[in-house]
């Protein structure tokens, strides 16, 4: 691989996740961009392309941000890809750099979700006249949410976790198992000042909290909140022309993968979040020339406690079917063999949808740069960041310490 | 679209049953209610929605096939918190009906983890969902436990 084929993160930033009542989307996105540019030691004048992710806003977030941080006439790609939106924005910038159209690109993801409530549920709509009228692709005369299963995210991912336990003949206490996964992430969050929630939670507190969709109680669900993240990417040739300090802090993107779900028997009945994640992981390990055993830490998409379990398996952090054993061994705790979600994960760090993809990468970068502060995983050299959006889309990036 | 006699609104005469519509068009009513899927004639993939082509093999020919009305619960959740207007708690499940996965609620069972578990046998059943101003009944479906 020649230097021009290599892609590096030159600078990266995330805002604090939480409630930002005094800031709008543009404030948060600008903060992330300005932070990433400062971290990279470059300005908007160096940037050849902007990829901007936002899901719940009014559209055109990239141009709105340019009007605050610098209108240089570069192309903007506004992207939207469910919970994989941030990773998709980054991947878009990477593709432009990789294609040789530009030597430096910028990606940003921003969301305001504080107080958004439950996502995914449709609710019943009353028709104008009071007669049954078939509508939509199922010819439904009334809302199917709640009548033919659930459309809510906590419920969908609850079934994903329960299906995994069923398929692998788990005979233990399922509710407690998932609650203990959540306990780990809440414990990790106490070391992350940028997390929305940083409180240790006991098993009793987690299991005794409000039930959302069995077996997921409220602290086992990702927290709706506000936040933004951004990254500057550069090719290897350009990096060589930059300062030694920039080269030293640059992080190599040794894999960048985006997949969607290939057809499987049940995938249009219950979303299949497994196959596309496993496919993305396989591609990522191949691109990076490493295996799961080479990883020093993983940030995976624990949108619900039930989701984290299945992704241990999908990302091949354990033997097939061995996710429960992997967790029970203590491996994914921060002092374990392969720490998972040392940031606190989406359950405590929060999940401002479009910001999540780049924020997971930011966390890994902190550790491989040795800048993780109190929660630094000692000697971390390579890490993996994973996100998944229902629909579905899966983004995986493998990040490696600079050799310089 | 449906053959449930929506043209005749004069159903007040004694002895005439009210007309009925299914909640979704893949639910077939009558003496023997069942679900009907569109099956790809090329690869056998089954779908419940209106199709443009097959997501598995890209073919465009489909036939209607009856889905087994008994099956095994492969996954479930008990939804306690839902969108406004959706009554809770309810049990959402994925049921393996002889190799075809079906989404539905588990009904006629206590919605708690002591009474619901993966691997349980269930069968299709229907219920009255509501009646509109024309007197037409909407019929929904769910799955209930099969007693051993
Ligand atoms: Zn087909």
């Amino acid at each position: 691989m020649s230097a021009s084929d290599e892609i590096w993160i030159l600078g990266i930033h995330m805002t604090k996740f939480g409630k930002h009542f005094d800031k709008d989307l543009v404030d948060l996105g600008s903060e992330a961009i300005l932070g990433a540019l400062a971290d990279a030691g470059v300005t908007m004048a160096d940037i050849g392309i902007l990829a901007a992710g936002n899901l719940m806003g009014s559209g055109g977030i990239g141009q709105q941000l340019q009007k605050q941080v610098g209108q240089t006439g570069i192309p903007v790609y506004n992207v939207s890809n469910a919970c994989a939106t941030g990773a998709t924005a980054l991947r878009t910038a990477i593709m432009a750099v990789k294609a040789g159209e530009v030597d430096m690109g910028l990606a940003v993801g921003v969301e305001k979700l504080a107080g958004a409530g439950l996502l995914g549920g449709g609710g019943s709509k009353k028709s104008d006249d009071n007669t049954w009228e078939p509508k939509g692709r199922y010819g439904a005369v009334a809302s199917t949410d709640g009548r033919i299963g659930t459309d809510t995210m906590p419920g969908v991912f609850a079934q994903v976790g329960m299906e995994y336990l069923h398929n692998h003949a788990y005979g233990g206490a399922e509710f407690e198992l998932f609650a203990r996964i959540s306990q780990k992430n809440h414990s990790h969050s106490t070391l992350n000042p940028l997390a929305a929630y940083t409180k240790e939670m006991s098993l009793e507190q987690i299991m005794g909290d409000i039930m959302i969709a069995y077996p997921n109680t409220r602290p086992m669900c990702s927290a709706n909140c506000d936040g933004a993240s951004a990254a500057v990417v550069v090719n290897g040739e350009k990096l060589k022309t930059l300062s030694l300090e920039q080269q030293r802090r640059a992080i190599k993107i040794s894999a960048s993968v985006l997949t969607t779900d290939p057809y499987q028997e049940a995938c249009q009945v219950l979303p299949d979040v497994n196959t596309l994640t496993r496919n993305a992981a396989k591609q990522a390990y191949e691109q990076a020339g490493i295996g799961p055993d080479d990883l020093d830490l993983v940030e995976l998409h624990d949108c619900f406690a039930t989701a984290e379990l299945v992704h241990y398996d999908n990302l091949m952090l354990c033997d097939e079917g061995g996710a429960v054993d992997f967790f029970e061994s203590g491996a994914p705790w921060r002092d374990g063999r392969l720490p998972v979600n040392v940031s606190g994960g989406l359950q405590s760090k929060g999940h401002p949808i479009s910001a999540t993809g780049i924020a997971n990468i930011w966390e890994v970068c902190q550790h491989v740069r040795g800048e993780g502060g109190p929660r630094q995983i000692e000697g971390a050299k390579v890490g993996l960041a994973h996100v998944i959006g229902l629909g579905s889309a899966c983004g995986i990036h493998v990040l490696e310490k600079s050799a310089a | 679209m449906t053959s449930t006699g929506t043209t005749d609104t004069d159903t007040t005469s004694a002895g005439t049953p009210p007309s009925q519509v299914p909640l979704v068009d893949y639910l077939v009513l009558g003496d023997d209610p069942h679900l009907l899927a569109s099956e790809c004639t090329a690869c056998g993939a089954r779908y419940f929605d209106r199709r443009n082509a097959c997501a598995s093999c890209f073919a465009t020919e489909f036939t209607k096939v009856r889905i087994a009305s008994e099956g095994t619960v492969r996954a479930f959740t008990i939804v306690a918190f839902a969108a406004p207007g959706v009554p809770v708690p309810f049990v959402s499940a994925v049921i393996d009906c002889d190799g075809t996965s079906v989404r539905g609620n588990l009904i006629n069972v206590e919605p708690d983890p002591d009474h619901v578990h993966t691997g349980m046998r269930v069968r299709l059943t229907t219920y009255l969902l509501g009646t509109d101003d024309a007197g037409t009944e909407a019929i929904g479906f769910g799955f209930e436990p099969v007693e051993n």
Side-chain angles (χ1 to χ4, degrees), chain B residues 40-45 47 54-59 61-62:
Chain B
C40 173
T41 56
C43 78
Y47 304 94
C54 178
S56 178
C57 78
F58 335 128
E61 299 281 318
F62 296 89

Side-chain angles (χ1 to χ4, degrees), chain A residues 239-256:
Chain A
L239 181 63
K240 280 196 275 181
T241 70
L242 301 176
S243 74
L244 287 177
E245 177 64 1
Q246 282 167 309
Q247 293 181 39
R248 187 190 64 78
R249 290 185 71 251
I251 300 130
K252 190 176 165 194
I253 302 178
S254 45
S256 171

Side-chain angles (χ1 to χ4, degrees), chain A residues 137 146 148-149 151 214 265, chain B residues 52 74 77 101 103 105 136:
Chain A
R137 300 195 75 92
I148 305 178
D151 292 341
Y214 178 88
E265 189 275 321
Chain B
N52 301 91
R74 201 172 69 224
T77 180
S101 297
R103 173 178 156 161
N105 285 11
T136 304

Side-chain angles (χ1 to χ4, degrees), chain A residues 274-319:
Chain A
N274 303 316
T275 312
L276 82 166
T277 298
R278 188 169 287 272
N279 286 354
K282 277 183 198 155
Q283 287 179 42
Y285 293 131
E286 196 177 310
Q287 266 184 31
I290 63 163
D293 289 343
D294 299 313
L295 296 172
D296 296 310
L297 78 156
V298 171
E299 287 286 306
L300 64 75
H301 199 77
D302 63 320
C303 48
F304 300 94
T306 46
E308 174 154 333
L309 182 80
V310 304
H311 293 316
Y312 295 151
D313 198 328
N314 294 329
L315 296 172
M316 295 176 265
L317 310 184
C318 58
D319 293 336

Side-chain angles (χ1 to χ4, degrees), chain A residues 117-118 121-124 129-132 134 136-152 154-156 158-160 162-163 165-167 174 210-215 263 265-266 268-270, chain B residues 21-26 45-52 55-56 73-84 86 90 92-94 99-105 113 118-119 129-133 136-138 141:
Chain A
L118 191 68
S124 57
D129 51 349
N130 287 311
T131 53
W132 306 115
R137 300 195 75 92
Y138 295 101
V141 299
S143 169
T144 57
D145 182 28
R147 295 192 174 103
I148 305 178
T150 182
D151 292 341
T152 64
V156 168
Q159 291 173 91
V160 165
M162 294 296 281
E163 182 179 44
L165 295 186
H166 175 66
N167 287 345
E174 62 207 15
I210 296 170
M211 182 58 75
I212 303 295
Y214 178 88
Y263 178 81
E265 189 275 321
Q268 295 194 17
V269 173
L270 179 68
Chain B
V21 292
L23 170 57
V24 284
D25 60 15
Y26 63 89
R46 291 177 171 183
Y47 304 94
F48 293 102
D49 64 342
R50 190 173 79 236
R51 298 306 301 178
N52 301 91
S56 178
V73 174
R74 201 172 69 224
F76 76 90
T77 180
I78 305 162
V79 178
F81 195 81
V86 176
F90 66 91
S92 166
V94 177
T100 301
S101 297
V102 177
R103 173 178 156 161
N105 285 11
T118 57
L129 196 139
T131 306
D132 70 9
D133 288 353
T136 304
E137 295 177 348
F141 75 89

